[in-house]
Amino acid sequence: MSIPIYQVENFGFNYPQSHYNLKLNGKFTINQGECILIQGASGSGKSTLLAALKGLIPHLINGKLSGKIIFNHQDITTFNEKQLLGIGYLQQNPDSQLICSDVYSELAFGLENQGFTASEIESKITRIAQDFKLDNLLTYQLNQLSGGEKQKVNLLAILLMQPQVLLLDEPTAFLDPESAHEIIMMLQQYIQHSTVVIVEHNHYYLRNIISRVINISNDGQISEQSSEQSIWNQTLPKLKSAGDSKQTKQALIELRQLNFAYSNNRKLLNNLNLTINSGEIIAITGKNGSGKSSLLKLIAGIIKTPGQIFWQQQDIATINYQRLWSYLTLLWQNPEAHFIYNSVDEELEQNNKILALFNLVPQRAQNPYSLSEGQKRRLSLAIALNLHPQLILLDEPTFGQDYEHKLQLAQLIMQLKNQGMSFVMVSHDQDFIDAIADRRYHLAGGELSLC
């Protein structure tokens, strides 16, 4: 006999001081023990719905709420903070959930609030960290971790609380493929007695654990979709280049025996040599924590390395920041790091062409922070493109993107490459890499190897 945990009907929400008006038409039930995938285009309201299922709307996020969400036979808006602790919620942005300064304290925080003794906390943390192969990180400061490692810590902190319901928003977005498979396999063991609701664009990791698929259409219609349909197998086509004969290639960036280590840590990068030419797309893969994001920061001159990185034969350590960053732009993993103004329109200087190119015209009056994560990612790239750099460094460019927007992004990058622009992208998205990359390198053990 199915026991309903959630009953959702005609959910709607208006964020304060925003023109964004979410209205989902229809109803659905989530039963105890089910693992549900909620899918839909970027910006369709999936993350807002998850926040409401957690009870953050309207308790923490103010706005106008319509429709109803029933949790355990009671209107979720009537629950207090303590009652909502039975709902675990993993957000898309890893940094937004971290509280403490080091990994062990982060994992212990919730258990301390539940009154467990120090020895009980140590036992629980040791066991789950070993299960998820993260025991080597327990002594690390959180600011030393990669985005993927931070997301794993967030997930472990939630699982330690043993919630009745687990809400996961893009749980594999920052994970390398091996880690993603490991996390999903471990989740299968930890969620056997829980109800799980997942928003995820990387569907191929989930097909063995999903019991039902709930779809949100572009116009807000809620429907159930068979888990046997083709959502598991969507792959991007290999996009064609205009060819090398169109223009003469010019060396833009050269890495010459690049070495790097953070203070008191093992060497992260060891004698790297790499040339990045005009009009090409370079992809860099590697496990979480291998140094990929640090490499982008080094190329962008954010971390100084005299005599090892050169822009058109000039040591970037000798180039004025303002001048260097007119040549190249780094897109951070967290797109919010690029936002300055109160509207999308202001961020893009009312550039109608760029707004249309990135499918952001309907959101032009919105505050950038009220966008979906996929829309934020597109906006950050649009901001970078509006600066007209010769080289763009992309850190996880497909994070939060549905298939259609991922395809549009791939086509746009290929179009810009054919015009002479260059890209270096760090990504775990093998499908996206296969579609557009000219060369792919794998970073492991501090060394860069051509794949």
Side-chain angles (χ1 to χ4, degrees), residues 340-341 343-355 364 379 382-388:
I340 300 173
Y341 299 102
S343 72
V344 172
D345 229 358
E346 289 177 287
E347 293 286 359
L348 297 176
E349 300 174 334
Q350 290 82 39
N351 188 323
N352 291 322
K353 182 179 179 181
I354 293 289
L355 282 162
R364 66 186 311 159
L379 176 57
I383 292 169
L385 193 59
N386 210 31
L387 299 173
H388 308 291

Side-chain angles (χ1 to χ4, degrees), residues 231-293:
I231 62 167
W232 309 116
N233 301 312
Q234 286 183 312
T235 57
L236 295 173
K238 174 66 176 176
L239 300 184
K240 293 182 179 180
S241 171
D244 294 333
S245 60
K246 193 168 184 178
Q247 56 202 334
T248 303
K249 298 294 183 184
Q250 179 185 19
L252 297 180
I253 284 281
E254 290 181 80
L255 311 184
R256 301 177 186 173
Q257 294 185 314
L258 173 63
N259 292 283
F260 179 73
Y262 289 104
S263 59
N264 302 321
N265 278 354
R266 61 176 174 79
K267 184 178 285 188
L268 195 61
L269 305 176
N270 183 30
N271 291 328
L272 300 192
N273 293 284
L274 177 67
T275 298
I276 301 160
N277 299 308
S278 59
E280 68 176 358
I281 302 168
I282 305 297
I284 299 174
T285 62
K287 294 195 70 173
N288 296 125
S290 60
K292 304 183 300 300
S293 295

Side-chain angles (χ1 to χ4, degrees), residues 132-134 148-149 151-152 155 168 170-188 198 200-209 286-288 396 428-430:
F132 278 84
K133 301 179 182 179
L134 290 179
E149 290 168 333
Q151 195 68 313
K152 290 178 182 178
L155 179 57
L168 304 174
E170 301 285 355
T172 71
F174 288 99
L175 302 181
D176 61 79
E178 183 180 345
S179 294
H181 283 296
E182 289 174 353
I183 287 291
I184 295 302
M185 288 176 64
M186 291 304 303
L187 274 174
Q188 284 182 277
I198 305 178
E200 177 64 78
H201 289 299
N202 296 331
H203 296 147
Y204 39 89
Y205 294 123
L206 306 176
R207 66 180 307 161
N208 293 326
I209 68 170
K287 294 195 70 173
N288 296 125
E396 300 295 348
H428 296 304
D429 192 333
Q430 187 60 55

